[in-house]
Amino acid sequence: MNLASLPKAELHMHIEGSFEPELMFKIAKRNGIQLPYESVDALKACYAFNNLQEFLDIYYQGVNVLQTEEDFYDLAWAYLERAKKDNIVHTEIFFDPQSHTSRGIAFDTVINGLHRAFEDGKKELDISYYIIACFLRHLPEQAGFDIYPDILRHKDKIIGVGLDSSEIGHPPEKYQRLFAQAKKDGFKMVAHAGEEGPAEYIWQAINLLKVDRIDHGNRCLDDQQLVSTIIEKKLALTVCPLSNLKLCVVDQLKNHPIRTMLNQGLKATINSDDPAYFGGYINDNFEQLQQAIGLSNTEIKQLITNSFNASFLNEKVKAKYLAKLNDLGSVNTI
Ligand code: HPA
Ligand code: ZN
């Protein structure tokens, strides 16, 4: 049994970030949209980023071709087929509703396309899922309040809310009223924090937003008291190694802090973030990390175990997946 074939959960993946250039060109053509690139290769040549904002500029340009329910279905289905190859058995995906509604696409078009694909994925590919709607933090909190009734209206399809987009200059405190409302309404809550932003933003995500999980969280290592608090509160980190490399959060994969996180007792997990842009899906993240820092079988097993434990699945289903992992993933055989 090898690493690639072990069952795993993915907890940090933006569905718009799984939009492969080939599919982007296909959907653009179908919708009569001219992309500002001559070819798939010309587009891919632009995927070189010095920071989060340079990536986001390209990412928001990419979503512009998504218009119909079928487009959102196809986007999600492509991810699911790819996820199946990596033996993802459970996924909790993000989507950015404001990046679509701001272009005049109805919220229902987006969520209905995504939801139908994930329901089909559950039936046909045996992948369980939850959907998380993220607020774009570079927009005012009021813009989040404006879209919130749509999220609430689809609470049967959306388990939680998140916070993403440009981090620096947009601290979690900006969103505390909206997250308080979401908590009242029974949503799970996550937030990107400490990807580029300082440890203080992670403190705010915990203390002001009261998140259930921290997305990225790398910068917690700057503050030992914060590390202790994260451990005490049993908050997991959804870490994204290839994203960290491509967005220059780390200079080389061999300097990635994943081992330090595990050694300090943090519940870190491995995720792909925006796999179409960062050069790899979940198994690529594991494999490249394994090559760069020689992850041991025990560490791999710990990371995958964390992914199930940190998910929003109920305890019974978690136990079922963990039993399967333990059957297949005896430490000696990875
Ligand atoms: N960070 C912040 N916002 C995002 C990301 C990310 O990696 N991907 C899509 N939106
Ligand atoms: Zn992300």
Side-chain angles (χ1 to χ4, degrees):
M1 191 58 49
N2 63 16
L3 158 62
S5 56
L6 292 176
K8 31 188 101 64
E10 173 145 74
L11 306 179
H12 184 159
M13 210 293 297
H14 303 260
I15 197 69
E16 296 91 345
S18 70
F19 202 5
E20 291 287 348
E22 291 78 4
L23 183 61
M24 198 183 289
F25 269 82
K26 185 177 153 193
I27 292 181
K29 192 167 170 209
R30 182 161 88 194
N31 290 337
I33 295 169
Q34 182 74 41
L35 283 168
Y37 305 94
E38 242 175 46
S39 62
V40 162
D41 286 343
L43 173 56
K44 282 185 185 167
C46 297
Y47 292 1
F49 315 110
N50 293 302
N51 52 47
L52 174 60
Q53 192 59 51
E54 286 186 12
F55 155 69
L56 289 170
D57 292 343
I58 297 258
Y59 165 91
Y60 292 127
Q61 193 179 67
V63 306
N64 284 336
V65 306
L66 296 164
Q67 308 217 320
T68 66
E69 187 178 315
E70 185 190 7
D71 298 343
F72 289 96
Y73 181 96
D74 290 351
L75 172 68
W77 187 255
Y79 163 70
L80 281 161
E81 285 193 315
R82 187 63 188 73
K84 183 76 186 170
K85 286 192 183 143
D86 281 8
N87 284 295
I88 289 176
V89 294
H90 176 71
T91 186
E92 301 188 358
I93 65 115
F94 300 134
F95 77 115
D96 285 335
Q98 290 158 299
S99 72
H100 310 299
T101 54
S102 64
R103 303 179 289 114
I105 310 297
F107 188 96
D108 289 21
T109 300
V110 182
I111 190 64
N112 290 340
L114 296 179
H115 181 253
R116 196 158 49 81
F118 281 99
E119 278 296 298
D120 285 352
K122 189 151 72 175
K123 282 184 231 121
E124 293 174 33
L125 304 174
D126 208 17
I127 298 176
S128 58
Y129 75 93
Y130 287 127
I131 296 176
I132 297 169
C134 287
F135 301 111
L136 301 183
R137 70 200 308 158
H138 67 273
L139 299 175
E141 187 187 35
Q142 184 54 48
F145 271 112
D146 292 345
I147 199 142
Y148 185 72
D150 285 317
I151 296 172
L152 196 53
R153 201 161 45 79
H154 287 282
K155 191 153 186 287
D156 58 329
K157 307 181 191 71
I158 297 172
I159 195 167
V161 298
L163 190 64
D164 66 3
S165 194
S166 322
E167 187 181 9
I168 292 173
H170 303 285
E173 67 177 345
K174 179 177 165 184
Y175 271 82
Q176 57 187 300
R177 287 146 295 260
L178 188 50
F179 271 65
Q181 184 61 51
K183 190 165 187 70
K184 253 190 224 154
D185 290 326
F187 284 108
K188 298 286 187 192
M189 301 193 306
V190 298
H192 284 54
E195 179 183 16
E196 284 186 341
E200 167 59 18
Y201 285 18
I202 305 175
W203 279 116
Q204 289 185 12
I206 296 169
N207 292 333
L208 303 180
L209 301 189
K210 309 204 183 305
V211 294
D212 298 295
R213 209 158 64 199
I214 296 158
D215 294 317
H216 293 294
N218 298 41
R219 294 287 298 278
C220 75
L221 296 171
D222 298 345
D223 180 338
Q224 267 314 303
Q225 209 187 328
L226 176 57
V227 169
S228 304
T229 300
I230 293 171
I231 294 168
E232 240 165 63
K233 290 183 179 286
K234 299 190 169 61
L235 292 168
L237 307 183
T238 62
V239 180
C240 307
L242 286 178
S243 165
N244 292 158
L245 180 66
K246 293 291 153 69
L247 299 185
C248 306
V249 168
V250 296
D251 59 348
Q252 296 180 65
L253 224 38
K254 76 174 171 52
N255 294 329
H256 196 279
I258 194 75
R259 176 167 287 133
T260 308
M261 289 170 167
L262 290 178
N263 286 346
Q264 296 206 7
L266 288 160
K267 295 286 174 218
T269 63
I270 297 291
N271 307 272
S272 68
D273 207 2
D274 301 280
Y277 292 91
F278 299 150
Y281 286 77
I282 199 167
N283 281 354
D284 300 309
N285 274 270
F286 272 106
E287 282 159 10
Q288 291 193 37
L289 205 51
Q290 195 178 24
Q291 279 188 357
I293 66 166
L295 276 182
S296 69
N297 289 347
T298 309
E299 287 169 326
I300 290 166
K301 188 92 178 291
Q302 183 69 57
L303 288 162
I304 300 180
T305 300
N306 290 349
S307 76
F308 289 111
N309 281 331
S311 74
F312 294 137
L313 289 165
N314 68 43
E315 295 306 317
K316 205 171 141 199
V317 181
K318 277 183 194 175
K320 182 192 81 176
Y321 282 134
L322 286 171
K324 208 157 141 193
L325 175 67
N326 284 324
D327 282 352
L328 293 172
S330 131
V331 163
N332 299 326
T333 57
I334 295 174

